[in-house]
Amino acid sequence: MWLPLLLAVLATPDVAGPDREAAVIAACASWNAGREAGAPPQTHRVEPDGLCFAGDIRSESSAAFVETLSGFDPDTPLVVVLTSEGGEVNAGMAMGEALVPYTATVVAHRVCASSCGNYLFTAGDRRVIDDGALLLFHGGARLIDAAELREMIGPQVPADQLEAQVAGVLADLETQIGRQDAFLELAGVDVDLFRWMAGFDELTEDAFFALCPVRDPRMILYSDRLLAEHGVVVHENRGPQSDAAVAAGVAALGRPGAACFMD
């Protein structure tokens, strides 16, 4: 079961050295600590090879990240430190697509959830979970059954427009999933990563609860072993790795009961 992890570690390209990695993490932590509560998402450059991102992932913050990233020498190994609870799928994919061509150490700092985990953490050559940081997933873009979609949007859409709306949403999802698959392949990750995550939704409540002792969690923190089996190798993990530690971590973020640990 550890063969994928061993092969990925051996194949890791030349990334920033440990001293430089630690220096950029410290610089980003200091910068992040100085941001006011509720500050808009920001990208911050740490010369000569560091990049900090904090806040929601949306079209504007994605564009700022990509623009700042483009100013680095492509031959320079980067250290990218992320603090984000996620955001828009397409905006996250744009950031990940821009990051993949670089040789990058990607660091989850405090929390890297949803689109941050899906498309930025997975884009790194070396992946690090910082002290106490939470790397949380709830799946990526996936198809929705047409009947389920009609039930979801029916109350908000005039009856004569419902079928056109359903067809449009499903077409958009198919396009999004195709882009997501292409990104995962580019990043060297199992293209079925999010289909595997979606499979847990098919379990009975009791079967799911046996794996995750939280009713209806918004997010799941997967073990290094499970992630490595799907090509997401965590090279260094200083974050929580038990149910109790995850519960404490999400409570500290003001999200008690929102996540569980799964191994």
Side-chain angles (χ1 to χ4, degrees):
M1 76 176 61
W2 288 105
L3 182 59
L5 175 59
L6 177 60
L7 293 176
V9 169
L10 292 175
T12 300
D14 292 333
V15 293
D19 291 345
R20 191 59 201 151
E21 180 181 306
V24 174
I25 292 173
C28 289
S30 178
W31 167 77
N32 209 2
R35 285 169 26 91
E36 295 182 2
Q42 291 176 281
T43 299
H44 174 69
R45 180 166 174 151
V46 178
E47 296 293 350
D49 55 0
L51 188 61
C52 323
F53 176 83
D56 295 338
I57 294 172
R58 47 192 192 229
S59 57
E60 298 85 356
S61 58
S62 172
F65 177 90
V66 171
E67 182 179 2
T68 305
L69 181 64
S70 69
F72 286 98
D73 181 345
D75 295 327
T76 298
L78 303 182
V79 179
V80 181
V81 181
L82 307 164
T83 305
S84 175
E85 295 190 31
E88 299 170 7
V89 171
N90 286 329
M93 278 195 274
M95 296 166 77
E97 288 162 352
L99 184 56
V100 165
Y102 290 82
T103 299
T105 296
V106 175
V107 182
H109 174 69
R110 293 182 58 191
V111 60
C112 179
S114 187
S115 288
C116 179
N118 289 359
Y119 311 117
L120 285 170
F121 192 79
T122 53
D125 297 287
R126 170 171 159 80
R127 305 183 184 97
V128 176
I129 300 175
D130 199 14
D131 298 341
L134 296 163
L135 176 68
L136 301 172
F137 295 90
H138 64 80
R142 65 185 182 92
L143 282 178
I144 300 174
D145 180 75
E148 180 185 353
L149 185 57
R150 288 188 192 96
E151 186 176 340
M152 289 169 57
I153 68 175
Q156 291 85 39
V157 178
D160 61 342
Q161 299 177 22
L162 180 58
E163 290 308 311
Q165 290 279 352
V166 167
V169 170
L170 293 179
D172 287 345
L173 281 173
E174 287 185 359
T175 299
Q176 202 172 65
I177 291 166
R179 181 181 181 183
Q180 179 176 263
D181 287 350
F183 163 74
L184 292 174
E185 186 172 5
L186 189 66
V189 173
D190 178 11
V191 295
D192 289 324
L193 173 67
F194 299 122
R195 296 179 183 89
W196 165 72
M197 290 182 183
F200 291 108
D201 294 340
E202 307 303 319
L203 298 176
T204 65
E205 184 178 18
D206 288 342
F208 182 83
F209 194 67
L211 298 172
C212 169
V214 174
R215 298 291 183 188
D216 300 319
R218 289 182 56 247
M219 300 277 184
I220 295 175
L221 190 151
Y222 295 101
S223 70
D224 294 353
R225 179 185 66 84
L226 286 177
L227 290 176
E229 288 179 356
H230 295 274
V232 184
V233 175
V234 179
H235 298 86
E236 188 170 351
N237 189 343
R238 303 191 295 273
Q241 299 178 61
S242 69
D243 289 316
V246 170
V250 294
L253 290 174
R255 307 282 193 276
C260 74
F261 174 74
M262 188 178 291
D263 184 6

